[in-house]
Amino acid sequence: MTLTQEEKKKIAELKKDLPQKLALVLTPEARQHLKEIASNPHFKGLEFQAKAALVKLVHNPKHSGLNSHKFYGLSKMFHMDVWESYIQNNTPGAWRIFWHYGAEKNMLTVLMITTHP
């Protein structure tokens, strides 16, 4: 499964309306998660939601729809501030993006895209 033309158009409109503030880096794990979402018919619509959330994230990590907040359990494990942002909300097994600010200024690194732990 891939994004429909309508979904691609909506994401392009999101990008156009929001000035990009941060460079986005995805770990190999995060890239794999996106590939699995795109190829699984059970996740219909999730690919669009994930990509729309990533667009919002690089433009404004504090976007109200993302509900970004520190995730202390992973912060302790990785020994750095790890943030959680919503892809979905009020959904059983809702999906999340886990990320941290990159080593360089204006960089954001996505660690994983997964269901809420």
Side-chain angles (χ1 to χ4, degrees), residues 39-87:
S39 65
N40 190 331
H42 295 292
F43 297 140
K44 184 173 171 50
L46 180 60
E47 180 185 14
F48 171 76
Q49 292 172 330
K51 289 183 178 180
L54 289 170
V55 168
K56 291 175 188 173
L57 191 60
V58 297
H59 291 35
N60 180 8
K62 296 179 183 177
H63 188 284
S64 62
L66 295 172
N67 292 313
S68 297
H69 57 277
K70 282 186 186 177
F71 195 83
Y72 292 99
L74 288 177
S75 294
K76 287 181 183 180
M77 184 173 22
F78 287 108
H79 305 290
M80 69 176 89
D81 289 340
V82 175
W83 297 78
E84 173 185 25
S85 295
Y86 290 18
I87 295 174

Side-chain angles (χ1 to χ4, degrees), residues 25 27 29-30 33 78 80 82 98-100 109-113:
V25 176
T27 61
E29 293 83 3
H33 295 153
F78 287 108
M80 69 176 89
V82 175
F98 292 94
W99 57 276
H100 70 90
T109 302
V110 175
L111 301 168
M112 63 183 117
I113 300 170

Side-chain angles (χ1 to χ4, degrees), residues 15-31:
K15 287 180 180 178
K16 182 176 65 174
D17 292 342
L18 300 169
Q20 185 166 343
K21 294 182 179 180
L22 301 167
L24 182 68
V25 176
L26 286 99
T27 61
E29 293 83 3
R31 286 188 190 283

Side-chain angles (χ1 to χ4, degrees), residues 93-109:
W95 284 76
R96 304 288 191 254
I97 299 170
F98 292 94
W99 57 276
H100 70 90
Y101 287 103
E104 297 178 25
K105 186 177 180 179
N106 298 327
M107 180 185 285
L108 186 143
T109 302

